[in-house]
Amino acid sequence: MSDQSSEHFDRPDHPASTPDELPLVARIARDLIRFDTTNYGEGRSNGEREAAEYVGAYLESLGLKPEFYEPIPRRTNLSVRIPGRGGDKPALVLHGHLDVVPAVAEDWSVDPFAGVVRDGMLWGRGAVDMKDMDAMILASVADLLRAGEQPARDLIVTFFADEENGGVEGSQLVVRDRPEWFAGATEAISEVGGYSIPVGDRRAYLLQVGEKALVWLRLRARGTAGHGSRFHPDNAVTRLAEAVAALGRTAWPIDLTATTRQTVDGLAALCGSDPAEPDVVAAATGPASGFLRSTFRTTTNPTGLTAGYKHNVIPDAAVATIDVRTLPGQEDRVLAEIQRIVGDDIEIEIAHRDIGLEVPFAGSLVDAMVGALERHDPGIPVVPYLMGGGTDNKALAEFGIAGYGFAPLRLPADLDFTGMFHGVDERVPIDALVFGQRVLTDLIRSY
């Protein structure tokens, strides 16, 4: 780790670093986007070190003393505990991740790592996932401390590495090696919840109270190698292609959990649709419909193919990668069904597997999050949902910490926000960042 002290740190609110006069939270998010923390998966990453040093220096500028942990070179995690007013209350974890998925610059209309501001939005890889929330956390902590205040309870602010690879080189190692960071915590807040969606001609906020289980698979077909010109029915590529097509086209049935039943019922009441038709209800949410439909069922998406080494050589093996997301507790049943779909001659290897989560849409923290949104956007309903992806809340669940997704953003109805997770031209409205900072500050001040 480099020794970057607060007196040498060009703070995000320093006039020299703000020629465009962006709000504080947008400047922090922009600065974070400019660190290329691309995570290619399976141990290949640019690393989070420089971004973590920036975050650490910012926290130091607020008078805090963050602790760093880098179990693997350049895969940097950090955490700091901020004492609260209520010494008898359990601590609350606010956490984010500093890595991002790859971005192919040629596909974007802007440089994905330039932190471009255009059309009232901040553009770049991480603007949605999740350097926007990282910035909201930092700006909200700054709001409190610069006003001479304390949070209502101990606040544990943590930034992880490697979330985009399931936390294998990030949160999983931190939980194993630095459990003291989370002593006394019972609840956590992170990404992918608290944002608004259209519901017919109305608006609602989705609060994330669950996550599907993640299972990354490799399908491997074997055959006989040979010359590309010959009659060759024992072709590994053909065998794999047939298996991948069968799995990719499988329409998994709707299977509602306690959480997704609440989602469907809540949205149906707003748009007047029949709750017996979950996909029809989801269609009323416009750009968010695909995101929500994935939460009602298992998904099995092929994401990669590898085979062969020359045009006229038939290889003896071919491999595909499959991203499987199951409802909590259904992993084993889904794996058995996948084997049936692809056939017994296809080998299935589990590259990574984690757990699904569901926590109650009830209790004092939920009441506080709903109340904070109500104070800043009165009269807008909040609906629980189960996210199709996953977060580092899964690692914290090992300590019995109940994790929620609450990165509050009030968004334009026509913005396909959920479609920009891992998408092209990722961007977030600057006024949504300011809204989120205010809501989050309100929450940590009062809860």
Side-chain angles (χ1 to χ4, degrees), residues 6-202:
S6 58
E7 29 309 346
H8 297 296
F9 177 54
D10 184 15
R11 284 178 12 187
D13 58 341
H14 191 285
S17 65
T18 59
D20 44 10
E21 297 183 350
L22 288 172
L24 169 63
V25 64
R27 296 198 301 270
I28 299 174
R30 177 200 61 189
D31 291 350
L32 289 172
I33 287 169
R34 290 175 176 174
F35 294 104
D36 182 353
T37 54
T38 297
N39 187 348
Y40 299 95
E42 299 184 335
R44 296 189 305 116
S45 171
N46 292 348
E48 298 84 1
R49 181 184 290 172
E50 288 77 17
E53 288 175 340
Y54 170 95
V55 170
Y58 188 81
L59 293 169
E60 288 170 0
S61 77
L62 300 175
L64 301 171
K65 295 182 179 179
E67 180 180 345
F68 292 85
Y69 180 51
E70 191 176 278
I72 296 170
R74 298 193 53 75
R75 310 313 305 275
T76 314
N77 309 269
L78 73 153
S79 186
V80 68
R81 183 181 291 258
I82 305 169
R85 303 188 305 272
D88 57 340
K89 293 181 178 180
L92 174 67
V93 182
L94 282 183
H95 65 94
H97 63 85
L98 295 172
D99 62 324
V100 295
V101 296
V104 179
E106 292 78 11
D107 296 340
W108 288 54
S109 60
V110 300
D111 181 341
F113 296 103
V116 172
V117 175
R118 192 173 76 186
D119 303 327
M121 296 191 184
L122 175 64
W123 299 58
R125 178 58 88 212
V128 167
D129 185 11
M130 65 167 293
K131 291 177 177 178
D132 56 342
M133 177 58 168
D134 295 338
M136 286 191 283
I137 292 171
L138 292 171
S140 296
V141 168
D143 279 348
L144 250 64
L145 298 184
R146 288 177 180 165
E149 300 180 53
Q150 289 179 284
R153 63 185 67 220
D154 280 10
L155 203 61
I156 301 167
V157 177
T158 305
F159 295 88
F160 292 112
D162 202 45
E163 191 272 349
E164 297 293 0
N165 187 47
V168 174
E169 297 186 349
S171 59
Q172 290 187 28
L173 299 183
V174 172
V175 165
R176 183 192 72 186
D177 300 337
R178 294 292 185 272
E180 68 276 8
W181 281 6
F182 308 103
T186 57
E187 296 165 320
I189 290 172
S190 189
E191 59 177 331
V192 203
Y195 57 90
S196 67
I197 61 168
V199 186
D201 58 358
R202 302 182 65 181

Side-chain angles (χ1 to χ4, degrees), residues 217-395:
L217 300 180
R218 293 188 187 94
L219 304 187
R220 181 173 284 101
R222 299 189 186 274
T224 304
H227 198 288
S229 66
R230 65 178 292 178
F231 174 73
H232 198 93
D234 187 25
N235 189 309
V237 177
T238 301
R239 185 169 294 125
L240 180 71
E242 290 170 343
V244 168
L247 185 57
R249 291 179 178 141
T250 296
W252 294 87
I254 291 173
D255 187 1
L256 298 183
T257 71
T259 298
T260 52
R261 170 50 63 193
Q262 287 181 292
T263 305
V264 171
D265 289 347
L267 295 176
L270 293 174
C271 66
S273 296
D274 182 354
E277 299 288 343
D279 282 344
V280 174
V281 173
T285 65
S289 60
F291 195 74
L292 285 171
R293 289 181 65 193
S294 71
T295 73
F296 302 155
R297 49 176 53 84
T298 290
T299 58
T300 50
N301 284 311
T303 56
L305 292 168
T306 304
Y309 46 89
K310 196 173 187 299
H311 210 121
N312 61 349
V313 177
I314 298 169
D316 63 359
V319 176
T321 55
I322 311 293
D323 190 334
V324 180
R325 309 292 173 125
T326 82
L327 299 171
Q330 296 190 6
E331 300 94 303
D332 291 338
R333 181 171 66 80
V334 168
L335 284 170
E337 180 63 10
I338 289 172
Q339 187 74 77
R340 187 196 66 77
I341 292 167
V342 302
D344 291 338
D345 58 346
I346 300 294
E347 301 169 16
I348 297 178
E349 174 191 348
I350 298 176
H352 179 72
R353 176 174 175 170
D354 66 22
I355 60 172
L357 298 175
E358 284 187 279
V359 293
F361 182 61
S364 56
L365 176 56
V366 169
D367 291 344
M369 292 186 286
V370 171
L373 284 170
E374 170 66 23
R375 287 189 290 276
H376 292 268
D377 197 4
I380 305 302
V382 180
V383 178
Y385 88 111
L386 182 144
M387 184 178 62
T391 76
D392 287 317
N393 277 328
K394 293 181 178 181

